[in-house]
């Protein structure tokens, strides 16, 4: 029989599941994201199978068939609590779940689950475009089962819940974030996805239900929104529905333009979202071109190796999102200069740990990375206004260290102005900074610079115990290297140290 889904179920796993389900006397369907993505022309490798019966039992039976008939090993991972089971077949991941009917308690997003039919199962799914199924029954293999018009909504670019949106969102408020995530992710330059107005209205009403979600789940969705090619759309939706106020109130504080004596400033919320989009675009472009790098530590040494980045880095996107977060607190009006935001980078960097903590995000080196980028985000472009000296570039490289590529990307993305002549001039000068960075790094290897003079060495040469003179001496040598007065090597550093030490009252001890 020919169906509209012909070609979508060519993977041998589908006929295998079909045969085994028939033997077991149960009906099985492909459901959810796989079906949606087939119609979007981007079939995924993640397959969800829903069974009218036990998902775990069907997975075990399929695995047994693979072992007995195909003589392959096959491991089934069973998640008893969820009633699901997962197996891998020729590199394809297949998850099995029994069709279920759900009802909810008010204070939890964990439903009371009972066995149900396919249609009852489809009804509990989040959106019509995620509730479509392909039949795996021999008699209508490949037939689309779409009781809520998912295919129509997909063609029209509409996100809609099968049930009353207020009930859907109240039952499980995570779905509000999922709606925004799907709208953002599925929208491309040639196709816009919109959330239907009654659904947006329901989100506004139900936003307080977010309180039953764990911060971890919220952040998981936020990260997925941030990793889309144009995250700004998601953040605008989060803002319009009032969800952003709950999740990241500091970001909402960036909104608005104040005017004094006829002088306004730019809306920092819109600017921030523009920068996040620029970062995403540039990062993807550089990943495609193979020009973006991470630096990974080399085991057993102080060194780092350059690793080409092949995936977007969510922490870079967080840095873009938070780069101006210190602006509201640092905003001043000066009758001569107009609006100023002096020190907003330092203030912003100080806010980063608090924001991470409020969302239960890691307070480890990822947070420090974001903090560093927020603090330094102005440095490369401020060089542009001055004459770009080697010394300034060396200091930038030293302070940014391994984060220099990402800092440059963020800083470049931050050049937004309504004046195209100004943008063009800044970008041109910015390229000069970039060239100079490469030159200085190649010559002086500053990025991972370690002071050639160590504390132990100073103590030995001058026979002194730990004291603050050691720090003074080391700092003097480091600055001389960064200023380019001496090269980044031990011989020159040692010579300078010995020349300067007597001014601190230090005498060399006679070497034996
Ligand atoms: P992705 O490509 O992001 O994995 P997906 O549609 O496969 O998209 P999953 O989170 O893997 O999304 O979920 C699989 C399916 O389970 C969804 O298509 C949807 O039908 C259903 N689903 C997932 N989470 C929920 C939820 N919170 N409420 C209702 N249905 C859900
Ligand atoms: Mg999925």
């Amino acid at each position: 029989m020919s169906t509209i889904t012909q070609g979508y179920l060519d993977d041998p796993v589908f006929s295998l599941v079909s045969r085994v389900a028939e033997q077991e006397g149960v009906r099985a369907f492909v459901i959810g994201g796989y079906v949606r993505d087939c119609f979007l022309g981007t079939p995924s490798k993640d397959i969800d199978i829903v069974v009218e019966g036990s998902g775990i039992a069907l997975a075990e039976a399929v695995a047994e068939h693979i072992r007995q008939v195909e003589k392959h090993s096959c491991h089934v991972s069973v998640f008893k609590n969820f009633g699901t089971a997962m197996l891998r077949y020729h590199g394809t991941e297949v998850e099995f779940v029994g069709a279920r009917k759900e009802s909810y308690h008010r204070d939890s997003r964990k439903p009371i689950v009972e066995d149900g039919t396919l249609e009852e199962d489809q009804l509990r799914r989040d959106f019509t475009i995620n509730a479509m199924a392909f039949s795996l029954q021999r008699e209508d293999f490949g037939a689309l089962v779409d009781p809520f018009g998912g295919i129509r909504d997909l063609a029209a670019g509409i996100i809609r819940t099968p049930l009353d949106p207020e009930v859907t969102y109240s039952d499980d408020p995570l779905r509000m974030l999922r709606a925004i995530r799907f709208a953002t992710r599925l929208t491309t330059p040639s196709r816009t996805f919109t959330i239907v107005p009654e659904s947006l209205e329901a989100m506004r009403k139900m936003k307080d239900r977010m309180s039953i979600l764990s911060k971890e789940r919220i952040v998981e969705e936020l990260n997925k929104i941030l990793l889309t090619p144009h995250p700004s759309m998601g953040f605008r939706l989060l803002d319009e529905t009032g969800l952003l106020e709950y999740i990241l109130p500091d970001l909402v504080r960036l909104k608005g333009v104040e005017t004094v004596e006829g002088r306004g400033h730019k809306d920092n919320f819109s600017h921030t979202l523009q920068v996040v989009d620029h970062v995403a675009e540039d990062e993807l472009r550089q990943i495609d071109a193979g020009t973006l790098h991470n630096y990974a530590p080399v085991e057993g040494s102080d060194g780092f190796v350059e690793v080409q980045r092949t995936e977007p880095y969510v922490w870079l996107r967080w840095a873009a999102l938070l780069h101006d977060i210190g602006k509201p607190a640092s905003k001043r009006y000066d009758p001569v200069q107009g609006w100023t935001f002096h020190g907003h980078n330092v203030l912003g960097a100080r806010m980063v740990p608090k924001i991470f903590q409020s969302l239960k995000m890691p307070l480890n080196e990822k947070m420090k990375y974001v903090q560093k980028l927020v603090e330094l985000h102005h440095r490369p472009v401020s060089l542009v206004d001055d004459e770009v000296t080697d010394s300034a570039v060396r200091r930038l490289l030293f302070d940014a260290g391994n984060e220099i590529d990402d800092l440059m990307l963020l800083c470049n993305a931050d050049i937004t102005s309504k004046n195209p002549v100004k943008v063009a001039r800044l970008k041109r000068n910015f390229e000069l900074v970039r060239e100079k960075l490469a030159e200085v790094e190649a010559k002086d290897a500053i990025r991972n610079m370690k002071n050639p003079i160590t504390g132990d060495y100073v103590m030995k040469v001058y026979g002194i115990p730990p004291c603050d003179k050691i720090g003074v001496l080391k700092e003097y040598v480091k600055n001389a290297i960064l200023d380019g007065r001496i090269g980044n090597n031990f011989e020159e550093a040692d010579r300078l140290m010995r020349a300067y030490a007597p001014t601190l009252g230090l005498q060399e001890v006679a070497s034996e």
Side-chain angles (χ1 to χ4, degrees):
M1 172 173 135
S2 116
T3 69
I4 54 164
T5 59
Q6 215 162 33
Y8 295 157
L9 301 180
D10 286 352
D11 190 313
V13 76
F14 296 114
S15 48
L16 172 64
V17 173
S18 174
R19 254 178 291 133
V20 177
E22 188 172 27
Q23 281 163 22
E24 299 289 305
V26 290
R27 301 204 310 153
F29 302 83
V30 187
I31 192 146
Y34 182 85
V35 179
R36 179 197 66 223
D37 291 344
C38 276
F39 290 122
L40 290 173
T42 50
S44 67
K45 280 264 159 210
D46 285 351
I47 295 170
D48 291 301
I49 305 278
V50 66
V51 191
E52 286 180 334
S54 162
I56 297 176
L58 181 61
E60 299 282 13
V62 169
E64 195 51 29
H65 185 96
I66 294 169
R67 287 182 213 117
Q68 298 295 331
V69 181
E70 304 194 10
K71 312 277 183 228
H72 275 299
S73 64
C74 181
H75 174 74
V76 182
S77 312
V78 175
F79 308 95
K80 264 228 166 74
N81 292 348
F82 297 101
T84 63
M86 204 266 283
L87 58 80
R88 227 178 273 275
Y89 184 67
H90 298 300
T92 307
E93 212 168 83
V94 193
E95 183 145 353
F96 294 79
V97 62
R100 50 178 120 163
K101 200 159 70 180
E102 288 179 354
S103 52
Y104 288 81
H105 274 309
R106 250 199 86 71
D107 53 355
S108 161
R109 58 176 291 262
K110 287 214 180 66
I112 303 158
V113 180
E114 295 163 78
D115 291 346
T117 62
L118 171 69
E119 178 144 351
E120 282 166 337
D121 187 282
Q122 287 173 300
L123 205 56
R124 72 167 183 90
R125 294 194 174 253
D126 47 7
F127 309 112
T128 57
I129 59 168
N130 286 350
M132 295 183 279
F134 291 143
S135 169
L136 292 181
Q137 284 39 263
R138 186 213 295 261
E139 60 279 11
D140 63 351
F141 188 85
L144 177 67
V145 189
D146 179 24
F148 315 114
I151 193 80
R152 177 200 60 206
D153 288 347
L154 197 62
I158 284 176
I159 311 253
R160 180 204 317 271
T161 57
L163 288 172
D164 175 353
E166 281 188 30
V167 177
T168 304
Y169 295 143
S170 173
D171 282 349
D172 178 3
L174 190 74
R175 293 168 182 161
M176 302 194 265
L177 299 178
R178 286 175 60 89
I180 292 175
R181 190 234 301 176
F182 283 115
T184 311
R185 189 180 99 195
L186 299 181
T187 292
T188 63
S190 55
R191 176 187 66 203
T192 305
F193 268 80
T194 44
I195 301 173
V196 288
E198 59 271 26
S199 216
L200 287 171
E201 195 45 47
M203 289 185 194
R204 279 180 210 114
K205 272 200 195 146
M206 293 298 147
K207 60 176 194 291
D208 294 340
R209 295 289 291 155
M210 293 284 286
S211 59
I212 68 164
L213 293 180
S214 74
K215 294 286 197 278
E216 288 82 354
R217 291 299 283 120
I218 293 176
V219 168
E220 216 175 286
E221 288 299 325
L222 271 191
N223 285 346
K224 287 181 178 171
I225 294 171
L226 274 173
L227 286 171
T228 61
H230 297 285
S232 65
M233 177 178 174
F235 283 88
R236 284 203 192 282
L237 286 167
L238 287 172
D239 179 46
E240 281 164 27
T241 49
L243 300 177
L244 195 59
E245 179 68 45
Y246 177 81
I247 302 172
L248 269 172
D250 287 315
L251 208 59
V252 181
R253 301 286 97 78
L254 292 176
K255 271 168 65 173
V257 179
E258 220 179 310
T259 308
V260 174
E261 296 169 348
R263 292 157 90 173
H265 55 79
K266 61 178 151 190
D267 178 89
N268 288 309
F269 184 68
S270 292
H271 164 75
T272 290
L273 296 188
Q274 212 181 343
V275 172
V276 176
D277 279 356
H278 281 173
V279 161
E281 260 167 54
D282 200 19
E283 188 184 31
L284 291 175
R285 192 181 50 74
Q286 291 206 45
I287 285 173
D288 281 348
T291 53
L292 201 58
H293 296 100
N294 283 349
Y295 299 92
V298 179
E299 228 171 285
S301 102
D302 288 345
F304 287 82
V305 278
E306 226 173 79
V307 198
Q308 199 170 313
R309 192 183 295 168
T310 53
E311 295 284 337
Y313 192 48
V314 77
W315 305 107
L316 172 58
R317 309 236 169 148
W318 271 101
L321 192 67
L322 300 181
H323 80 283
D324 273 349
I325 205 74
K327 275 198 168 169
S330 63
K331 182 163 107 172
R332 302 279 178 276
Y333 183 77
D334 178 288
V336 182
Q337 293 181 53
W339 291 103
T340 65
F341 300 91
H342 293 311
H344 74 274
N345 53 326
V346 177
L347 218 61
R350 244 183 267 149
M351 290 167 72
V352 170
K354 290 185 199 138
I355 293 172
F356 269 49
Q357 200 163 26
S358 75
L359 288 169
K360 296 218 169 76
M361 303 213 299
L363 294 172
N364 55 12
E365 75 283 0
K366 312 284 193 233
M367 187 277 287
K368 295 210 178 94
Y369 162 97
V370 173
Q371 204 174 23
K372 188 182 213 179
L373 259 62
V374 170
E375 177 160 357
L376 295 178
H377 78 268
H378 258 197
R379 278 278 289 284
V381 82
S382 67
L383 289 187
V384 160
D385 294 331
D386 305 331
E387 194 195 341
V388 188
T389 62
D390 274 17
S391 153
V393 169
R394 261 190 230 105
R395 277 174 193 284
L396 171 64
L397 205 47
F398 180 75
D399 289 339
N402 285 331
E403 274 64 77
I404 188 68
D405 284 14
D406 287 355
L407 178 66
M408 291 298 283
L409 196 153
L410 172 61
C411 192
N412 189 32
D414 193 20
I415 303 177
T416 68
S417 158
K418 288 210 181 79
N419 178 349
V421 180
K422 186 173 166 197
V423 170
R425 180 179 60 81
L426 284 173
K427 294 239 167 183
R428 215 169 31 245
N429 290 354
F430 193 78
E431 279 314 308
L432 284 181
V433 176
R434 206 193 283 283
E435 281 165 25
K436 199 98 179 191
L437 269 171
E439 224 175 82
V440 166
E441 175 63 3
K443 199 167 62 185
D444 301 340
I446 297 292
R447 187 170 50 76
N448 274 308
M449 176 180 130
K450 294 255 172 341
N451 198 329
I453 301 302
T454 66
D456 282 345
Y457 183 68
V458 177
M459 288 192 277
K460 199 176 121 214
V461 173
Y462 299 105
I464 52 171
C467 63
D468 49 5
K469 284 183 184 170
I470 300 170
V472 175
L473 201 50
K474 284 178 61 183
E475 190 66 13
Y476 182 78
V477 172
K478 183 191 92 185
N479 283 329
I481 296 172
L482 293 178
D483 288 341
R485 283 184 280 126
I486 61 169
N488 182 13
N489 59 65
F490 177 75
E491 287 70 28
E492 287 178 70
D494 188 45
R495 211 175 308 134
L496 184 73
M497 175 190 85
R498 288 176 196 267
Y500 184 65
T503 64
L504 298 176
L506 294 176
Q507 297 297 326
E508 286 171 40
V509 289
S511 53
E512 61 292 353

